[in-house]
Amino acid sequence: MALPGLEIGIIGAGDMGMLYARRFKNAGYTVNICDIPSKYEELLEKHKDLGINIMRDGYAVSRRSDFIVYSVPAVTIGKIVEEYGRATKVGAIVAGQTSVKTPEIEAFEKHLPADVHIVTCHSMHGPNIDTKGQPLAVIRHRSSDDKYAQALELLGALESRMIFLTYEEHDRITADTQAATHLSFISLGTAWSMQGYHPWLNPQFISGINNVKVAMALRIYASKWHVYAGLAIMNPLAKKQLACFVESMTELYKHMVAGKKDEFRDLVYKAADFIFGKDRTHKKILLDDDILDQLSLSQVPKEMSRPNSHLSLLSAAVCWYRMNMSPYDNLICQTPPFRMWLGIVEYLFCNEEMLEESIQTALEDRYTQAEDLVFYTAVTGWGQCIALGSFDGYRERFEKTAKFLGHKLEEGKDLSTMILKKLTDKDANKQC
């Protein structure tokens, strides 16, 4: 039941902003929303039957709303709060929906009036997934007890699973769960683009966990580039993990091409024992062949599949080992890509026969080593782009790859959603 008399304001009418607008509207709240002023007429026409108030700009939203959400890219949060923060209604509660909280909190502290309360949040999923049951980070930064209680009641309209953190904890967890995950998937897409082939036509990507790689890479490239650029470039903790991932892959690849089989195997098994223990028969993510093989974009028969080194997955495990980090500790704030990423890493390492095939392929198969060279080049290229803090470079690389994969992006996004739903359903059945 909606709190009487309170109005919700949303600055930023992108995909997430509109997802929030619909959820709050359906819960019975008056919703005021805007985007950049030049889009006012377009939004007015597009959403005229939605039952929400389309406002011309953030001033109009801020001056009348009791709970205001800045649903804007992390890279622009400072500029936008500087512009509209001064108009915030006295006593209002302000939140942000960016994936990196440090610059968001800095912008709020610098530009919001002292009589405004700050209880920010972050839905740990994209706009194509319903908020119900999904993790929602809630951060009480500056508020009275009654305003904090009010914020929780309002956010309850999303029906999400609330996780209570500080903004520093949030940025550490998102760095741990998303940085290397996103780098791996976007690098796969870039490697395919660099070689001019689509993975659904390549015998190395036609079954099992390769279906997840393809589907999740397409899911990311079907999204907006700034969603991933902000986290990678603006979160200093993310850069640390990204550097470790690149270093881990470099070490593994050098062992591969130098023929250092014992060193390669020793590093992989040290990572395996650290993350999964000596007894690797008890999986937690519950991926299985029933899910993986029935959902595929491949146009190549399964019997024609070639072995894969899964260098990206081996590198992820080595990275976690090097950082002394258990990925399971961060499932509390899991995102769909991270859940699938950990799921396929676990699937590989908890299947001794598959892990051994992966190691043998990496060390002995010259075709795979050539393929992995291109993937390694893509990873290091993305790593350098992020280390330089180049948003323009990130956008150019992202959009070039997205264009190459374009005709399959929506299909891949739908496939990844189906995989995630089957995984969620399997979890629910297990708990029953």
Side-chain angles (χ1 to χ4, degrees):
M1 183 177 178
L3 295 175
L6 295 183
E7 297 190 14
I8 306 294
I10 301 173
I11 296 175
D15 294 337
M16 284 302 294
M18 291 309 303
L19 175 65
Y20 268 42
R22 291 185 177 92
R23 291 294 310 207
F24 284 120
K25 172 63 173 63
N26 291 341
Y29 289 103
T30 297
V31 177
N32 311 308
I33 191 169
C34 73
D35 207 280
I36 57 177
S38 61
K39 290 187 176 181
Y40 173 65
E41 300 293 341
E42 176 188 338
L43 285 176
L44 206 58
E45 177 63 25
K46 184 176 181 180
H47 301 300
K48 61 184 178 182
D49 299 323
L50 197 58
I52 61 177
N53 298 323
I54 307 297
M55 316 297 281
R56 186 169 293 278
D57 54 33
Y59 293 117
V61 171
S62 296
R63 65 184 293 272
R64 64 176 286 179
S65 303
D66 303 283
F67 182 75
I68 302 162
V69 180
Y70 282 82
S71 185
V72 299
V75 66
T76 61
I77 185 71
K79 179 180 179 181
I80 294 173
V81 177
E82 181 180 13
E83 178 71 20
Y84 299 128
R86 73 193 79 172
T88 307
K89 183 178 179 180
V90 174
I93 306 167
V94 174
Q97 234 294 89
T98 66
S99 58
V100 188
K101 291 304 176 189
T102 298
E104 177 184 292
I105 292 296
E106 289 174 352
F108 287 165
E109 288 181 337
K110 184 175 182 180
H111 301 298
L112 292 178
D115 55 19
V116 168
H117 303 264
I118 302 171
V119 182
T120 193
C121 61
H122 180 203
S123 289
M124 308 291 283
H125 58 87
N128 298 305
I129 295 179
D130 187 12
T131 59
K132 187 175 182 178
Q134 295 296 324
L136 172 70
V138 178
I139 299 164
R140 180 183 184 178
H141 185 68
R142 187 181 81 195
S143 72
S144 63
D145 289 344
D146 62 327
K147 288 292 184 176
Y148 180 56
Q150 188 179 91
L152 296 183
E153 183 73 19
L154 290 163
L155 290 170
L158 301 175
E159 298 184 271
S160 298
R161 175 170 53 86
M162 295 187 193
I163 302 155
F164 303 99
L165 304 167
T166 66
Y167 74 90
E168 296 96 341
E169 290 170 336
H170 170 276
D171 284 357
R172 177 186 61 77
I173 292 174
T174 53
D176 289 348
T177 57
Q178 298 181 40
T181 304
H182 296 162
L183 177 62
S184 299
F185 286 130
I186 63 175
S187 296
L188 283 168
T190 297
W192 301 328
S193 174
M194 289 169 64
Q195 296 182 91
Y197 71 68
H198 294 109
W200 47 89
L201 300 175
N202 187 314
Q204 283 196 316
F205 293 96
I206 64 175
S207 63
I209 57 179
N210 293 303
N211 292 335
V212 178
K213 293 180 188 177
V214 173
M216 295 308 294
L218 292 175
R219 183 186 188 88
I220 286 175
Y221 277 108
S223 302
K224 294 182 171 63
W225 69 273
H226 65 75
V227 174
Y228 304 99
L231 169 70
I233 294 175
M234 299 184 71
N235 187 337
L237 298 175
K239 289 187 177 181
K240 179 181 177 181
Q241 186 179 114
L242 290 173
C244 182
F245 181 80
V246 173
E247 290 166 6
S248 299
M249 180 172 289
T250 299
E251 186 174 5
L252 285 170
Y253 191 73
K254 288 176 71 175
H255 288 335
M256 287 167 57
V257 298
K260 294 184 176 181
K261 300 179 181 180
D262 291 341
E263 290 86 347
F264 184 94
R265 186 179 298 275
D266 180 63
L267 185 54
V268 168
Y269 274 99
K270 280 182 178 177
D273 292 344
F274 171 76
I275 298 167
F276 305 104
K278 295 290 186 180
D279 179 11
R280 295 191 290 277
T281 60
H282 304 293
K283 296 191 293 183
K284 300 180 181 180
I285 306 298
L286 304 176
L287 281 176
D288 58 33
D289 292 326
D290 290 339
I291 293 177
L292 298 177
D293 282 337
Q294 65 182 273
L295 299 171
S296 175
L297 296 176
S298 178
Q299 299 172 21
V300 181
K302 184 180 177 182
E303 57 269 19
M304 294 180 62
S305 66
R306 292 189 61 135
N308 194 313
S309 69
H310 301 298
L311 179 60
S312 59
L313 309 186
L314 300 180
S315 301
V318 171
C319 175
W320 293 329
Y321 163 63
R322 293 292 195 211
M323 295 190 71
N324 195 35
M325 183 190 86
S326 170
Y328 292 107
D329 292 343
N330 294 315
L331 283 176
I332 186 175
C333 279
Q334 62 183 285
T335 60
F338 178 71
R339 181 177 176 80
M340 298 307 299
W341 183 243
L342 177 54
I344 58 178
V345 173
E346 178 191 76
Y347 187 92
L348 173 64
F349 277 84
C350 292
N351 183 324
E352 192 63 36
E353 183 179 346
M354 179 179 287
L355 180 59
E356 185 58 32
E357 179 186 76
S358 168
I359 293 171
Q360 286 294 330
T361 302
L363 294 173
E364 306 292 347
D365 190 323
R366 303 295 289 176
Y367 173 84
T368 296
Q369 290 177 356
E371 290 285 301
D372 284 343
L373 173 61
V374 182
F375 177 62
Y376 171 69
T377 301
V379 169
T380 54
W382 275 108
Q384 290 168 351
C385 175
I386 292 166
L388 291 171
S390 175
F391 283 97
D392 290 340
Y394 195 106
R395 181 175 187 170
E396 182 177 343
R397 291 173 66 91
F398 190 97
E399 291 183 342
K400 181 180 179 180
T401 301
K403 183 178 180 180
F404 174 77
L405 299 169
H407 67 292
K408 282 283 188 178
L409 292 181
E410 288 303 314
E411 190 176 347
K413 184 171 67 176
D414 292 342
L415 177 63
S416 65
T417 299
M418 291 171 63
I419 294 173
L420 288 164
K421 185 178 186 305
K422 284 185 174 290
L423 189 59
T424 301
D425 293 344
K426 195 174 181 69
D427 284 349
N429 292 334
K430 184 186 178 186
Q431 293 169 6
C432 291

